[in-house]
Amino acid sequence: MMLSEGEFLFIYNSNQLEDKRARGYAITIDKLKINEIDIHKDHLTPKQIAEIADILDVSIGDLYREGSRSAYEQFTDEELIKVLAQDASKMRTPIVLSKEASFFVGSSFELIKEKLETYEIQEEHANKSER
């Protein structure tokens, strides 16, 4: 997955209400280039799944939703990747990937908080009294 400077990849499941809500917040953030992958409609390849885990710096098992993890504890990483490629609904979403910051979105509020912390007001945009 090639991510360019300032580009965000928002991975979500449109079959999940909280994911749709977070997507709504994400697309309203001004001045951010956001690309989307809806795993309910667009299947991820095994290579993409491995890259997502690598970018997030988590194990393949950490990509699974809470309710799905225990059923696959004895599986190898390759087997876990195959399962997610065949049934992406087991994947923990939403996820934001970028060169600047990559993370699982816990809530819509967290998405806004992360965005604000990642893109602080730069000096040239601050009021003269704040410089």
Side-chain angles (χ1 to χ4, degrees):
M1 294 184 163
M2 296 295 290
L3 298 169
S4 60
E5 200 72 30
E7 174 189 9
F8 286 78
L9 180 59
F10 188 77
I11 302 169
Y12 73 105
N13 182 342
S14 63
N15 207 31
Q16 299 290 323
L17 180 61
E18 189 58 37
D19 285 18
K20 288 193 288 189
R21 189 173 290 136
R23 179 190 171 271
Y25 279 98
I27 62 175
T28 62
I29 298 172
D30 289 338
K31 300 179 184 173
L32 292 182
K33 180 183 176 187
I34 298 178
N35 294 317
E36 307 172 10
I37 296 178
D38 177 359
I39 63 170
H40 181 67
K41 298 176 183 173
D42 304 314
H43 297 287
L44 296 171
T45 67
K47 181 179 179 183
Q48 288 173 317
I49 293 166
E51 287 176 353
I52 291 168
D54 188 48
I55 292 168
L56 289 169
D57 195 26
V58 299
S59 70
I60 300 298
D62 289 338
L63 292 178
Y64 278 76
R65 289 191 177 280
E66 287 296 325
S68 300
R69 285 187 198 170
S70 61
Y72 300 100
E73 287 177 349
Q74 291 81 15
F75 282 45
T76 66
D77 282 353
E78 292 78 24
E79 292 169 328
L80 290 171
I81 289 170
K82 285 180 185 178
V83 170
L84 283 178
Q86 292 172 2
D87 185 3
S89 69
K90 292 177 177 19
M91 182 178 270
R92 183 176 162 196
T93 55
I95 299 169
V96 172
L97 301 179
S98 75
K99 284 188 173 184
E100 294 79 17
S102 297
F103 53 92
F104 290 102
V105 178
S107 70
S108 302
F109 173 76
E110 183 182 307
L111 178 64
I112 294 169
K113 180 178 172 251
E114 286 287 340
K115 184 263 180 191
L116 293 175
E117 289 176 359
T118 304
Y119 294 94
E120 296 174 344
I121 297 174
Q122 297 188 3
E123 186 176 20
E124 66 266 15
H125 299 294
N127 294 329
K128 288 182 182 181
S129 63
E130 294 176 342
R131 290 185 192 162

Short mmCIF file of all heavy atoms in Angstrom, two decimals, residues 83-106:
data_model
loop_
_atom_site.label_atom_id
_atom_site.label_comp_id
_atom_site.label_asym_id
_atom_site.label_seq_id
_atom_site.Cartn_x
_atom_site.Cartn_y
_atom_site.Cartn_z
N VAL A 83 -8.13 -16.32 6.32
CA VAL A 83 -9.48 -16.19 6.87
C VAL A 83 -9.98 -14.75 6.68
O VAL A 83 -11.12 -14.54 6.24
CB VAL A 83 -9.53 -16.60 8.36
CG1 VAL A 83 -10.87 -16.23 8.98
CG2 VAL A 83 -9.26 -18.09 8.51
N LEU A 84 -9.13 -13.77 6.99
CA LEU A 84 -9.55 -12.37 6.82
C LEU A 84 -9.78 -12.03 5.35
O LEU A 84 -10.69 -11.26 5.03
CB LEU A 84 -8.50 -11.41 7.41
CG LEU A 84 -8.49 -11.28 8.92
CD1 LEU A 84 -7.36 -10.35 9.35
CD2 LEU A 84 -9.82 -10.80 9.44
N ALA A 85 -8.98 -12.59 4.46
CA ALA A 85 -9.16 -12.33 3.03
C ALA A 85 -10.50 -12.90 2.54
O ALA A 85 -11.14 -12.32 1.67
CB ALA A 85 -8.00 -12.91 2.23
N GLN A 86 -10.93 -14.01 3.13
CA GLN A 86 -12.19 -14.63 2.73
C GLN A 86 -13.40 -14.03 3.45
O GLN A 86 -14.50 -14.00 2.91
CB GLN A 86 -12.13 -16.14 2.99
CG GLN A 86 -11.16 -16.84 2.09
CD GLN A 86 -10.97 -18.30 2.48
OE1 GLN A 86 -11.60 -18.81 3.41
NE2 GLN A 86 -10.11 -18.99 1.76
N ASP A 87 -13.19 -13.55 4.68
CA ASP A 87 -14.30 -13.00 5.46
C ASP A 87 -13.81 -11.78 6.23
O ASP A 87 -13.46 -11.86 7.41
CB ASP A 87 -14.86 -14.05 6.42
CG ASP A 87 -16.09 -13.56 7.18
OD1 ASP A 87 -16.55 -12.42 6.92
OD2 ASP A 87 -16.58 -14.31 8.03
N ALA A 88 -13.81 -10.64 5.57
CA ALA A 88 -13.28 -9.41 6.17
C ALA A 88 -14.14 -8.89 7.32
O ALA A 88 -13.69 -8.03 8.07
CB ALA A 88 -13.13 -8.34 5.08
N SER A 89 -15.35 -9.40 7.50
CA SER A 89 -16.19 -8.94 8.61
C SER A 89 -15.57 -9.27 9.96
O SER A 89 -15.95 -8.70 10.97
CB SER A 89 -17.59 -9.55 8.52
OG SER A 89 -17.55 -10.93 8.78
N LYS A 90 -14.60 -10.17 9.98
CA LYS A 90 -13.92 -10.52 11.22
C LYS A 90 -12.83 -9.51 11.58
O LYS A 90 -12.26 -9.54 12.66
CB LYS A 90 -13.30 -11.91 11.10
CG LYS A 90 -14.34 -13.02 11.02
CD LYS A 90 -13.70 -14.36 10.83
CE LYS A 90 -14.64 -15.53 10.80
NZ LYS A 90 -16.02 -15.34 10.54
N MET A 91 -12.54 -8.58 10.64
CA MET A 91 -11.48 -7.60 10.86
C MET A 91 -11.94 -6.46 11.76
O MET A 91 -13.07 -5.99 11.67
CB MET A 91 -10.99 -7.02 9.54
CG MET A 91 -9.86 -6.02 9.70
SD MET A 91 -9.25 -5.40 8.13
CE MET A 91 -7.97 -6.60 7.82
N ARG A 92 -11.05 -6.07 12.63
CA ARG A 92 -11.28 -4.94 13.53
C ARG A 92 -11.19 -3.64 12.72
O ARG A 92 -10.16 -3.35 12.11
CB ARG A 92 -10.21 -4.97 14.61
CG ARG A 92 -10.32 -3.94 15.67
CD ARG A 92 -9.22 -4.21 16.69
NE ARG A 92 -9.00 -3.03 17.51
CZ ARG A 92 -7.94 -2.86 18.26
NH1 ARG A 92 -6.98 -3.77 18.28
NH2 ARG A 92 -7.81 -1.78 18.99
N THR A 93 -12.25 -2.89 12.72
CA THR A 93 -12.32 -1.64 11.98
C THR A 93 -13.04 -0.62 12.83
O THR A 93 -13.68 -0.99 13.81
CB THR A 93 -13.09 -1.83 10.64
OG1 THR A 93 -14.37 -2.37 10.92
CG2 THR A 93 -12.33 -2.70 9.68
N PRO A 94 -12.99 0.65 12.48
CA PRO A 94 -12.26 1.28 11.39
C PRO A 94 -10.78 1.45 11.70
O PRO A 94 -10.36 1.41 12.86
CB PRO A 94 -12.94 2.63 11.22
CG PRO A 94 -13.65 2.90 12.50
CD PRO A 94 -13.89 1.58 13.16
N ILE A 95 -10.02 1.65 10.63
CA ILE A 95 -8.57 1.82 10.71
C ILE A 95 -8.20 3.04 9.87
O ILE A 95 -8.74 3.23 8.79
CB ILE A 95 -7.84 0.58 10.14
CG1 ILE A 95 -8.19 -0.68 10.94
CG2 ILE A 95 -6.33 0.81 10.10
CD1 ILE A 95 -7.71 -1.97 10.29
N VAL A 96 -7.27 3.82 10.36
CA VAL A 96 -6.70 4.93 9.60
C VAL A 96 -5.24 4.62 9.36
O VAL A 96 -4.50 4.32 10.31
CB VAL A 96 -6.84 6.28 10.36
CG1 VAL A 96 -6.08 7.38 9.64
CG2 VAL A 96 -8.29 6.65 10.52
N LEU A 97 -4.83 4.68 8.10
CA LEU A 97 -3.43 4.48 7.74
C LEU A 97 -2.91 5.73 7.06
O LEU A 97 -3.59 6.30 6.19
CB LEU A 97 -3.27 3.30 6.78
CG LEU A 97 -3.75 1.93 7.24
CD1 LEU A 97 -3.54 0.90 6.14
CD2 LEU A 97 -3.03 1.50 8.51
N SER A 98 -1.73 6.18 7.44
CA SER A 98 -1.07 7.30 6.77
C SER A 98 0.40 7.28 7.14
O SER A 98 0.81 6.56 8.06
CB SER A 98 -1.70 8.64 7.19
OG SER A 98 -1.30 8.99 8.48
N LYS A 99 1.18 8.09 6.44
CA LYS A 99 2.59 8.21 6.78
C LYS A 99 2.75 8.93 8.12
O LYS A 99 3.69 8.69 8.85
CB LYS A 99 3.35 8.98 5.69
CG LYS A 99 3.62 8.16 4.47
CD LYS A 99 4.53 8.90 3.52
CE LYS A 99 4.92 7.98 2.38
NZ LYS A 99 5.89 8.63 1.50
N GLU A 100 1.81 9.82 8.42
CA GLU A 100 1.90 10.61 9.64
C GLU A 100 1.47 9.85 10.89
O GLU A 100 2.09 9.96 11.93
CB GLU A 100 1.04 11.89 9.51
CG GLU A 100 1.54 12.86 8.47
CD GLU A 100 1.19 12.49 7.03
OE1 GLU A 100 0.29 11.65 6.82
OE2 GLU A 100 1.82 13.03 6.12
N ALA A 101 0.38 9.09 10.81
CA ALA A 101 -0.14 8.36 11.95
C ALA A 101 -1.06 7.26 11.47
O ALA A 101 -1.89 7.48 10.59
CB ALA A 101 -0.92 9.30 12.87
N SER A 102 -0.93 6.07 12.04
CA SER A 102 -1.80 4.94 11.70
C SER A 102 -2.34 4.36 13.00
O SER A 102 -1.58 4.18 13.96
CB SER A 102 -1.03 3.88 10.91
OG SER A 102 -0.58 4.41 9.68
N PHE A 103 -3.65 4.08 13.02
CA PHE A 103 -4.25 3.62 14.27
C PHE A 103 -5.62 3.01 14.02
O PHE A 103 -6.25 3.26 13.00
CB PHE A 103 -4.38 4.78 15.27
CG PHE A 103 -5.09 6.00 14.71
CD1 PHE A 103 -6.46 6.15 14.87
CD2 PHE A 103 -4.39 6.97 14.03
CE1 PHE A 103 -7.11 7.27 14.36
CE2 PHE A 103 -5.03 8.09 13.52
CZ PHE A 103 -6.40 8.24 13.68
N PHE A 104 -6.07 2.19 14.99
CA PHE A 104 -7.45 1.72 15.03
C PHE A 104 -8.28 2.86 15.59
O PHE A 104 -7.87 3.52 16.55
CB PHE A 104 -7.60 0.50 15.95
CG PHE A 104 -6.97 -0.75 15.42
CD1 PHE A 104 -5.75 -1.18 15.92
CD2 PHE A 104 -7.60 -1.51 14.45
CE1 PHE A 104 -5.17 -2.35 15.45
CE2 PHE A 104 -7.03 -2.68 13.98
CZ PHE A 104 -5.80 -3.10 14.48
N VAL A 105 -9.44 3.09 15.04
CA VAL A 105 -10.33 4.14 15.54
C VAL A 105 -11.26 3.50 16.56
O VAL A 105 -12.05 2.63 16.22
CB VAL A 105 -11.14 4.78 14.39
CG1 VAL A 105 -12.10 5.83 14.94
CG2 VAL A 105 -10.21 5.38 13.35
N GLY A 106 -11.16 3.95 17.81
CA GLY A 106 -12.01 3.40 18.85
C GLY A 106 -13.41 4.00 18.82
O GLY A 106 -14.38 3.33 19.13
#
